[in-house]
Amino acid sequence: MAAANYLPSEDQFLCSICLDVFTDPVTIPCGHNFCKKCINEHWNINDQHLCPMCKEASNTRPDLRVNTFISEMVAQFRQSAQQKASSSSSEQQVSKPGEVPCDVCTGTKLKALKSCLVCLISYCETHLEPHLTASRLKRHQLIDPVENLEGRMCTKHDKPLELFCKTDQTCVCMLCHVSDHKMHDVVPMKEEYEGKKAELEAEIQQMIQERRLKIQEIKHSVDLSEEDADREIAEGVQVFTSLKESVERGLNELINTIKEKQKTTEKQAEAFIKELEQEISELMKRSTEVEQLSRSEDHLHLLQSVQSLNTNHPTPIKDWTEVSVRPSYEGTVVKAVVQLEETLSKEMKKLLAESELKRVQQYAVDVTLDPDTAHPQLILSHDGKQVHPGKVKKNLPDNPEGFSDCNCVLGEQSFSSGRFYFEVQVKGKTEWTLGVARESINRKGQIKAGPQYGNWTIWLRNRNEYEALAGPAVRLSLKSPPQKVGVFVDYEEGLVSFYDVDTAALIYSFTGCSFTEKLFPFFNPRYGGKNSAPLIITPVRVN
């Protein structure tokens, strides 16, 4: 039974000349088998009658007859292979649009399982069998099925593209390498593939990492935005609560005013009523007396008695014709609304100014003075936070970064993007200059003030003269002398603003500036004497 079920493999029925299944198999004297046609053609070409396998020679050309036993075995093998192929075909999937079809299938095209880079043909599972079993075909390179296999052949030499020319960045065949690309840097395609694969993987990993960092950045931005939103909501609640309280105070004042006027009106009316009641009582007495006199028919006595009545009652009777009680409410609401509007306007300006100052204070930076830039007459504190004018100009070696003629000093920190803010105490000084300056500001000789000369500053002169050095200078009218000045810069927006920190009032803004260099905080405490108080860089504390 085991022998009956035994099915030899295809290798046993392959002709060693054509490498295909026997057709009309014949056996030569040495015992090897070949296709009848193959061995005849072989002997026609070669003069000696040698066996292609063992090289045994025959003196005469053998008389070839078909080996019936092998022929029957081949027939059984072919029939079994066809049945197997038929069964396999029914189980395999039919090629769908977008899938690579088998190039060997006739009629219904099955889905290709592999493509051969040597045969340039795509095979389904059934037709791929010889490439998996035949020793010669096993050496062929199989890949996942692809279309346009012809595109993998060199159009010039009709050879497989197996090499990569790094010089020309193109795929070439073996003949290209020894002809057109002989002096070029040519490597096996697999080597270039591995390199490119590693390069692409590294590039993809870098892109993945960049996107992960971007996700973190976006998440961080969302967190910051949430913090900003909470802060804005808190400030909004504070502003509107203050405004609501102002409105409620205004309403209470209006109600109290109307009530006070109503009380005044009521008191006035009570006084009038009391006075009228007294007159009524007096007039009733007179009426009684007149009635008694009217009973007498003595005319003389009546007339004399009337005179006596006027003498006995000297209180004159008041003329009430023009007297009235009128509420004095007219215009009360209008006046209250006007007053409320003025109050709210002041309150809103104050609250908005405070809110704006809080907004810029969040960009506070830690600024220290740079001793290498200081004029020799200036005295800097050890912590780099204070500068005041000295009485004597120190004899120091010339520093190319230092100011030679003007009592100026720059901050150590520079800024070439974004926003930054710092505060400087100017209390007790009669003169000072503050702001920012670009890196290339003239440090030798007199400094000309103005944006066109690379500095954006304001100054105090003669105790109470404030100006923005905008070229020409702009006179500033301040309600009160600032004790602490805040400086805010938005590099991209081209904005430099100055604030009175204690009152949260905006002092001045340079707008539409064009910054192309690093910006440095700029300080000039001016000269000494009564102006000997220092400029002090103070920590920023948000109210």
Side-chain angles (χ1 to χ4, degrees):
M1 291 297 291
N5 292 332
Y6 172 72
L7 183 64
S9 67
E10 185 180 11
D11 287 345
Q12 295 175 276
F13 301 107
L14 293 181
C15 172
S16 60
I17 297 177
C18 67
L19 299 177
D20 204 350
V21 178
F22 288 125
T23 302
D24 297 332
V26 296
T27 304
I28 63 175
C30 65
H32 289 113
N33 302 298
F34 304 95
C35 296
K36 185 177 182 180
K37 180 180 180 181
C38 291
I39 191 63
N40 279 324
E41 289 180 352
H42 178 73
W43 285 342
N44 290 337
I45 296 173
N46 298 279
D47 294 336
Q48 295 179 338
H49 305 131
L50 297 175
C51 173
M53 298 290 289
C54 65
K55 306 302 180 183
E56 182 179 322
S58 298
N59 294 326
T60 60
R61 185 163 180 160
D63 185 17
L64 300 177
R65 295 183 180 182
V66 175
N67 189 322
T68 56
F69 175 75
I70 296 178
S71 182
E72 289 175 359
M73 292 293 292
V74 170
Q76 290 180 8
F77 174 78
R78 290 183 184 277
Q79 183 179 4
S80 176
Q82 288 175 357
Q83 290 175 353
K84 182 179 178 181
S86 175
S87 174
S88 176
S89 298
S90 62
E91 294 175 359
Q92 294 181 64
Q93 296 181 356
V94 176
S95 175
K96 299 177 183 178
E99 295 179 339
V100 179
C102 175
D103 294 324
V104 182
C105 288
T106 57
T108 302
K109 293 283 188 180
L110 297 181
K111 177 183 176 181
L113 187 64
K114 292 289 182 179
S115 294
C116 177
L117 294 181
V118 178
C119 304
L120 296 179
I121 293 176
S122 297
Y123 299 100
C124 64
E125 183 178 357
T126 300
H127 295 121
L128 181 65
E129 186 69 22
H131 279 74
L132 303 177
T133 57
S135 57
R136 182 176 66 88
L137 298 178
K138 283 182 179 180
R139 295 193 296 269
H140 290 192
Q141 185 179 355
L142 299 176
I143 62 172
D144 289 335
V146 294
E147 294 180 344
N148 189 27
L149 286 167
E150 293 79 5
R152 297 175 176 269
M153 298 292 289
C154 175
T155 56
K156 184 175 182 180
H157 302 105
D158 198 27
K159 295 291 183 181
L161 298 173
E162 301 176 288
L163 303 174
F164 184 81
C165 176
K166 289 189 173 184
T167 306
D168 293 338
Q169 291 293 301
T170 185
C171 297
V172 298
C173 70
M174 295 296 293
L175 293 179
C176 290
H177 179 32
V178 298
S179 57
D180 299 340
H181 299 263
K182 185 175 182 179
M183 305 304 295
H184 292 182
D185 184 9
V186 178
V187 297
M189 191 178 294
K190 184 177 181 180
E191 179 182 329
E192 182 66 17
Y193 159 81
E194 295 295 340
K196 286 292 184 183
K197 179 183 176 183
E199 183 180 328
L200 288 173
E201 287 177 350
E203 183 179 347
I204 290 172
Q205 289 302 318
Q206 181 180 353
M207 293 172 68
I208 291 173
Q209 184 63 21
E210 288 174 353
R211 279 147 184 79
R212 284 175 177 166
L213 292 175
K214 179 58 70 174
I215 289 174
Q216 294 179 0
E217 179 185 332
I218 292 173
K219 287 182 178 179
H220 181 61
S221 298
V222 171
D223 292 338
L224 293 179
S225 177
E226 186 176 358
E227 293 175 3
D228 290 342
D230 291 340
R231 182 170 55 253
E232 289 294 321
I233 290 173
E235 292 180 2
V237 169
Q238 180 183 354
V239 169
F240 280 89
T241 299
S242 298
L243 295 176
K244 179 183 176 183
E245 291 173 353
S246 295
V247 173
E248 290 176 348
R249 284 196 301 270
L251 177 60
N252 291 333
E253 290 175 1
L254 173 62
I255 293 173
N256 291 333
T257 300
I258 294 175
K259 286 183 177 180
E260 289 296 326
K261 289 186 177 182
Q262 177 62 17
K263 288 180 180 179
T264 302
T265 300
E266 289 176 355
K267 288 180 179 179
Q268 185 182 29
E270 288 175 0
F272 286 158
I273 290 172
K274 185 176 181 180
E275 187 177 354
L276 286 168
E277 288 177 344
Q278 289 177 351
E279 288 190 2
I280 289 172
S281 177
E282 182 66 28
L283 289 172
M284 287 181 69
K285 289 180 181 180
R286 292 189 186 187
S287 175
T288 302
E289 293 175 358
V290 171
E291 184 179 354
Q292 291 176 354
L293 290 173
S294 64
R295 294 175 184 171
S296 173
E297 295 181 357
D298 187 348
H299 298 162
L300 177 60
H301 177 67
L302 176 62
L303 294 173
Q304 290 175 344
S305 297
V306 170
Q307 185 66 33
S308 175
L309 283 172
N310 291 333
T311 303
N312 294 334
H313 303 282
T315 303
I317 301 300
K318 186 175 180 178
D319 183 3
W320 292 89
T321 305
E322 301 298 330
V323 176
S324 63
V325 177
R326 296 176 181 174
S328 57
Y329 309 141
E330 185 177 351
T332 302
V333 175
V334 174
K335 291 178 182 178
V337 171
V338 171
Q339 181 63 38
L340 178 62
E341 184 179 7
E342 293 177 357
T343 303
L344 288 178
S345 178
K346 292 179 181 178
E347 188 73 12
M348 287 176 66
K349 289 180 180 179
K350 178 183 177 182
L351 292 172
L352 289 174
E354 291 176 351
S355 178
E356 173 63 15
L357 181 59
K358 288 180 183 178
R359 184 188 70 82
V360 300
Q361 283 178 329
Q362 68 178 311
Y363 300 105
V365 294
D366 185 18
V367 173
T368 52
L369 301 169
D370 184 359
D372 291 337
T373 64
H375 183 272
Q377 194 167 334
L378 295 179
I379 301 174
L380 275 61
S381 63
H382 292 297
D383 61 0
K385 297 294 184 180
Q386 300 185 28
V387 57
H388 63 86
K391 295 180 180 179
V392 180
K393 183 176 181 180
K394 297 184 288 293
N395 187 17
L396 300 174
D398 182 52
N399 190 324
E401 296 182 8
F403 291 93
S404 61
D405 289 10
C406 294
N407 279 16
C408 303
V409 60
L410 299 178
E412 284 188 316
Q413 294 73 22
S414 64
F415 305 90
S416 56
S417 64
R419 305 178 179 97
F420 64 94
Y421 173 86
F422 61 94
E423 293 178 352
V424 182
Q425 180 178 302
V426 296
K427 183 179 179 181
K429 295 194 68 61
T430 58
E431 292 189 356
W432 49 260
T433 304
L434 285 176
V436 293
R438 67 189 180 199
E439 187 174 23
S440 62
I441 186 174
N442 177 33
R443 306 186 190 192
K444 307 302 178 184
Q446 291 297 321
I447 298 176
K448 294 183 179 180
Q452 65 271 38
Y453 302 111
N455 55 86
W456 295 262
T457 59
I458 62 173
W459 72 9
L460 165 65
R461 291 291 180 273
N462 302 323
R463 295 182 179 273
N464 58 7
E465 296 178 6
Y466 295 91
E467 290 182 335
L469 306 180
V474 177
R475 189 68 178 268
L476 304 176
S477 178
L478 307 182
K479 293 183 179 181
S480 59
Q483 303 298 302
K484 187 184 293 185
V485 176
V487 183
F488 172 70
V489 176
D490 187 330
Y491 196 96
E492 283 75 21
E493 190 68 22
L495 174 70
V496 181
S497 295
F498 299 85
Y499 296 87
D500 183 336
V501 176
D502 295 325
T503 64
L506 175 65
I507 298 175
Y508 185 79
S509 286
F510 290 89
T511 59
C513 308
S514 178
F515 302 130
T516 56
E517 300 180 26
K518 293 179 181 178
L519 295 181
F520 291 82
F522 178 89
F523 308 85
N524 186 342
R526 303 297 294 173
Y527 300 98
K530 294 181 180 180
N531 189 40
S532 59
L535 290 175
I536 304 175
I537 302 171
T538 59
V540 176
R541 295 184 176 89
V542 181
N543 296 328

